[in-house]
Amino acid sequence: MSHILAIDQGTTSSRALVFAPDMRVCGLGQQEITQHFPAPGHVEHDPAEIWETTRATARAALDQAFKDYKPNAVMHFAALSQVGESVTDPGKYWRNNIGGSFNLIEA
């Protein structure tokens, strides 16, 4: 097994970690994201901010890990909580979920 880049998009932050084969963390990036509360019990996030913080944290984790290691593969797993986006704005859906794989490979 080689190194793994894991991305965690949480409610309050974007986080990326690079794991070595022995599961040691050899790269880490994290940035908070802005919380918007339009009504009591509701929270919203800006998709562009999520994308930018995800890219920045992945870059930070990879830069830190690349100081000592060279990965030989990149995998990207996408999760979607707002399925309606794939119908109402398929271009945005593609850029956010499919296009993200290509951006990670280029990183």
Side-chain angles (χ1 to χ4, degrees):
M1 178 174 100
S2 189
H3 292 73
I4 298 171
L5 170 65
I7 298 173
D8 171 34
Q9 181 54 60
T11 303
T12 60
S13 71
S14 299
R15 181 186 317 223
L17 298 102
V18 177
F19 291 96
D22 63 1
M23 298 312 290
R24 247 177 335 103
V25 174
C26 58
L28 170 67
Q30 181 176 2
Q31 286 187 8
E32 290 187 8
I33 58 172
T34 306
Q35 307 284 315
H36 303 279
F37 300 98
H42 293 248
V43 64
E44 293 180 352
H45 300 100
D46 177 2
E49 181 185 12
I50 290 172
W51 176 241
E52 289 307 315
T53 58
T54 300
R55 288 183 63 181
T57 58
R59 170 60 71 188
L62 289 169
D63 285 348
Q64 187 178 7
F66 281 177
K67 290 179 183 176
D68 299 317
Y69 305 100
K70 287 291 245 182
N72 58 11
V74 175
M75 293 187 302
H76 175 242
F77 298 95
L80 187 62
S81 62
Q82 302 298 324
V83 177
E85 184 179 273
S86 66
V87 176
T88 59
D89 191 351
K92 183 177 179 182
Y93 170 81
W94 186 90
R95 285 188 305 276
N96 288 347
N97 292 284
I98 309 300
S101 295
F102 296 106
N103 289 325
L104 286 173
I105 291 169
E106 288 176 354

